[in-house]
Structure formats: structure tokens, C-alpha cells
Amino acid sequence: MSQLHEIATQFTASGTVSAVDPLGNGNINSTYLVTVSDEPAPDQRFVLQKINTGIFRQPELVVKNMQVLSEHLDRHTADLPRRWEMPRILPTATGEAFWVDESKGYWRAITFIEESQVFETVESVAHAKEVGYGLAMFHSLISTLPVEQLADTLEGFHIAPKYMAEYEEACAETGNRGIQEIGNDRAEDVRYCLEFVQQRKHRVAVLEEAKAAGQLQLRPIHGDPKVNNIMLGHNGQAVSLIDLDTLKPGLVHYDIGDCLRSSCNPLGEETTDWRQVEFDLQLAQAMLEGYLSIASDFLTDQDYQYLYDGIWLIAFELGLRFFTDYLAGSTYFKIKHPSHNLDRALVQFQLAASIEAQADTLKAMIQSLR
Ligand code: GN1
Ligand code: MG
């Protein structure tokens, strides 16, 4: 039996693990789909993940937050108008939340959302609307969960000034070795990114300052509601928001920004054709319509005032995170080749530039949707 099969078996009370296949394109954790045969019952499937404990240093908190969410949903979810399911923790056969392997690797299992599909990019206006609906459904269900009940699973996550400080540190270190040397054949792209950040660094604290001034409040958030985390049923309707590792206290603006930077980029965040990247306003309108069809109930005037900033900031911030990781030797995001994080940074910076170029129209659109 392979090591993966052996680990998967820890989460089955009866039945035989018949397959363990890689699942999805996560940049942090390693994820697999496990199939269990338990004849004569039909095959069952669940998701097995090795948590990246270099990043999630307290994996117990990640699982705890998911349990808090499940309990909250059990208590508060009355009849919903449509199908909606959230992933849940599946304990090991002996009732533990994790299986810890001999190299201290933390493995956990969660339910697989059957009869649904994941998409890497938004494929239509109708899809964008469903992505917005899915995010709002999630925000609405967790809006009654007191934020103090959620642990901070990843300190500093989406705190843009902190990413700026890390960037400056990486620049200082690589500066000693010579940025040119790091960039080698990509020196021009590296220079472009350095310049791009330099021109915009005064804007990174916009949300944190509004939070400190009491204009924006901490709420439970998802943290990573990108398009491939919103699953659609076969009828094209959003049925789940998966990947709950960064469920924690935060600003809904981080989520709205992350969802929009991802769903309004039809070329996707992995394209190498970064000069062609554009923020698609038509998709943004549809996403926001879907989102506000539910979320207008809980957004305040001040929340609306910072929506544009949040949309711009999260695209810029992710570019900054990828670029910093590239400069620092790619230790955070998984990469497939040495300049992968530089390619990813260029895509997000181009998206941020496209948002800036369409700022007036986007702000007017937000205003008209209120
Ligand atoms: C990471 O691992 P994944 O793909 O779910 C990252 C997100 C980024 C995303 C970009 C904990 O998410 O913040 O937006 O990559 N997650 C963490 O694809 O840093
Ligand atoms: Mg994630």
C-alpha cells in the first residue's frame, strides 16, 4: 500500500481505499480526492489534505474554525432557498481531527461536495453572477457568527502594510546580492515590478487605516474566495464555497476584492501573457449584482465607500505577495519553475493597472448598484 493510501485509510471506519488522486491547483496545501469502496454500498469520496504547517503553524486552529462554522450552521441554517453545502471535517477512525504521520505531517479529511464542478476562470456573465451569489451566501450565513469565536489561523493575512514591510525586507536582502542577478534574463520584468510597487506603495494602508479609524469592522471572512473555490452545481448555480483554511476575522473587503480580482480576469492568474490581462467590467457588474442581491442587507454606507479601494488593493497586494516571494526565493507559494512567482506577480499588477485605468467607471458602477 502506498503511503497516501495508508494515510487515507486512517479516515475510513470500514471500506477499502480504492483510489487517491491529486485534486485542484492549491498553492499552499497538498490536496487529494480519496475514493472508498464499501460494497455493496456505492463508492464514497472525501478530500484528504496535508496542511502546510510552514504557513499554518497551528493546524489545530484551522480545524477548530471549521468545527465552529459547522456548529454555527447547524444551529442557524433554516430552510435556504437553494442548494447550499459547506465542507465539513471528517475525523479519523479513532475520532481525531488529524492524522499525524511519522515526519510530523498533519493530514485532515473533509467532505467532498458531490455533483458540482470547479472552474479556474469565469466562463460567462451568468457564472460571474453565481460567483457573487455564492460569496454573499457564505457571508450572510456567517454574519451571525460572533467574530471572537474564530481563531486567527494566519496572522497578518491580508494586512497589506505588513506585506509591504516584508517586500522592503526582501528588497534590502536581494539588493545586497544585486537585483539584476536575481532577475537575470528577466531583469526588465523585475525592474518593471519594482517601479510599479514604488509608484503605489503610499496606497497600501487604505483599508487598515479605515479599520483603525473604526470605519470598517472585523467580521468573519473566508479569506480566499477565488473563482476556483466557488463550486457550481450542474445547473450552473453556486452550491458551495470550499477551502476554509483562512476562515477567520477580517474585512469583507478582502473577500470581495479577492473574488473580483480572480473572477474578472478571464485569462486567469496563471497566464504568461500578462500584457493581455484586463479587469473585465461586465463580469464585475454581474459578480457585484449577484453579491449584492443578498449582501446589500448587511453592508453599511462606509463598507460601500471602500469597495473600490478593496478591489484595487487585493489585486495589487497579491502581486506584491508573489513578487516578494520571487525575490525571497519562492518559499511560500508552490512553483513549477524558478520565475513562476514573477509571472504571477506581473498578472496581478496588470490587473491592478487595469482597475486603475477603469476607476471612474467602476466607482460609478458601484454607486449605481447601491
Ligand atoms: C493561495 O493555496 P491557495 O491556492 O488556496 C493563498 C491565497 C492566494 C492564492 C492565489 C493561505 O491560496 O491568499 O490568493 O494562493 N493562500 C494563502 O492563487 O496564502
Ligand atoms: Mg486557499
Side-chain angles (χ1 to χ4, degrees):
M1 213 189 324
S2 76
Q3 198 213 4
L4 272 176
H5 272 69
E6 240 171 81
I7 293 165
T9 304
Q10 307 304 322
F11 294 90
T12 60
S14 64
T16 318
V17 171
S18 52
V20 185
D21 301 304
L23 181 67
N25 295 310
N27 291 327
I28 311 282
N29 295 323
S30 306
T31 310
Y32 304 89
L33 181 62
V34 177
T35 308
V36 179
S37 305
D38 195 2
E39 285 177 13
D43 283 359
Q44 286 159 33
R45 303 198 280 181
F46 66 85
V47 176
L48 178 68
Q49 268 189 324
K50 182 176 189 192
I51 300 195
N52 182 333
T53 45
I55 291 173
F56 295 104
R57 292 182 177 275
Q58 290 178 277
E60 327 66 57
L61 298 183
V62 173
V63 166
K64 180 84 195 348
N65 278 357
M66 276 186 80
Q67 285 161 340
V68 167
L69 174 70
S70 294
E71 282 159 24
H72 174 77
L73 295 179
D74 288 345
R75 275 197 308 266
H76 295 277
T77 316
D79 296 337
L80 294 177
R82 282 169 38 170
R83 176 184 169 203
W84 184 260
E85 292 169 38
M86 294 302 298
R88 284 169 184 261
I89 290 287
L90 295 170
T92 65
T94 54
E96 307 294 324
F98 294 102
W99 171 257
V100 185
D101 67 26
E102 58 275 15
S103 341
K104 295 253 173 340
Y106 274 71
W107 296 81
R108 55 107 193 256
I110 38 193
T111 52
F112 178 63
I113 311 293
E114 292 286 355
E115 297 188 31
S116 66
Q117 257 181 294
V118 160
F119 298 83
E120 289 305 319
T121 52
V122 160
E123 302 197 335
S124 64
V125 165
H127 184 180
K129 196 164 187 170
E130 283 303 314
V131 163
Y133 179 94
L135 179 61
M137 179 59 119
F138 179 80
H139 278 172
S140 141
L141 288 173
I142 57 172
S143 64
T144 48
L145 173 67
V147 74
E148 316 73 58
Q149 288 185 23
L150 291 175
D152 191 348
T153 52
L154 192 53
E155 238 175 87
F157 190 55
H158 288 312
I159 309 294
K162 193 209 78 166
Y163 293 124
M164 185 52 76
E166 286 172 4
Y167 164 76
E168 278 166 352
E169 205 178 301
C171 281
E173 277 173 24
T174 46
N176 296 337
R177 279 181 282 146
I179 296 253
Q180 298 291 352
E181 193 189 309
I182 296 237
N184 49 60
D185 59 321
R186 304 291 303 273
E188 200 185 310
D189 288 336
V190 171
R191 261 200 301 275
Y192 173 83
C193 289
L194 291 168
E195 184 72 10
F196 195 89
V197 177
Q198 184 61 27
Q199 286 164 357
R200 290 159 181 84
K201 62 181 195 186
H202 61 285
R203 291 166 63 188
V204 295
V206 56
L207 292 185
E208 296 319 304
E209 282 170 359
K211 185 167 86 185
Q215 293 173 307
L216 300 177
Q217 273 75 42
L218 284 181
R219 295 178 168 139
I221 61 155
H222 180 277
D224 188 19
K226 57 182 178 179
V227 59
N228 64 8
N229 280 334
I230 294 161
M231 299 188 79
L232 302 193
H234 299 314
N235 60 1
Q237 293 192 334
V239 294
S240 185
L241 177 51
I242 59 169
D243 183 8
L244 299 171
D245 299 337
T246 47
L247 162 68
K248 66 192 218 61
L251 299 179
V252 287
H253 297 69
Y254 307 152
D255 276 358
I256 299 168
D258 194 63
C259 195
L260 276 164
R261 65 119 198 116
S262 142
S263 51
C264 304
N265 169 13
L267 292 183
E269 61 185 78
E270 291 293 324
T271 179
T272 46
D273 202 2
W274 63 270
R275 285 175 210 278
Q276 299 305 316
V277 168
E278 266 178 340
F279 183 83
D280 186 318
L281 278 185
Q282 211 195 346
L283 295 179
Q285 166 130 12
M287 182 280 177
L288 284 169
E289 279 171 6
Y291 182 75
L292 295 171
S293 69
I294 298 180
S296 55
D297 286 355
F298 56 78
L299 288 189
T300 65
D301 284 349
Q302 278 172 328
D303 285 332
Y304 277 103
Q305 270 168 35
Y306 285 95
L307 273 191
Y308 170 80
D309 296 300
I311 297 166
W312 174 81
L313 181 65
I314 301 299
F316 176 74
E317 174 194 282
L318 185 57
L320 184 68
R321 294 172 62 200
F322 283 140
F323 186 45
T324 303
D325 200 30
Y326 171 74
L327 294 176
S330 294
T331 57
Y332 187 98
F333 296 102
K334 285 187 200 163
I335 50 165
K336 297 203 169 96
H337 56 87
S339 53
H340 198 164
N341 280 321
L342 177 59
D343 291 341
R344 290 165 166 160
L346 287 161
V347 171
Q348 296 304 317
F349 285 156
Q350 186 70 5
L351 210 48
S354 175
I355 293 169
E356 290 167 8
Q358 303 180 87
D360 291 344
T361 324
L362 184 53
K363 286 179 190 171
M365 180 198 292
I366 292 169
Q367 196 58 30
S368 72
L369 289 170
R370 285 177 72 159

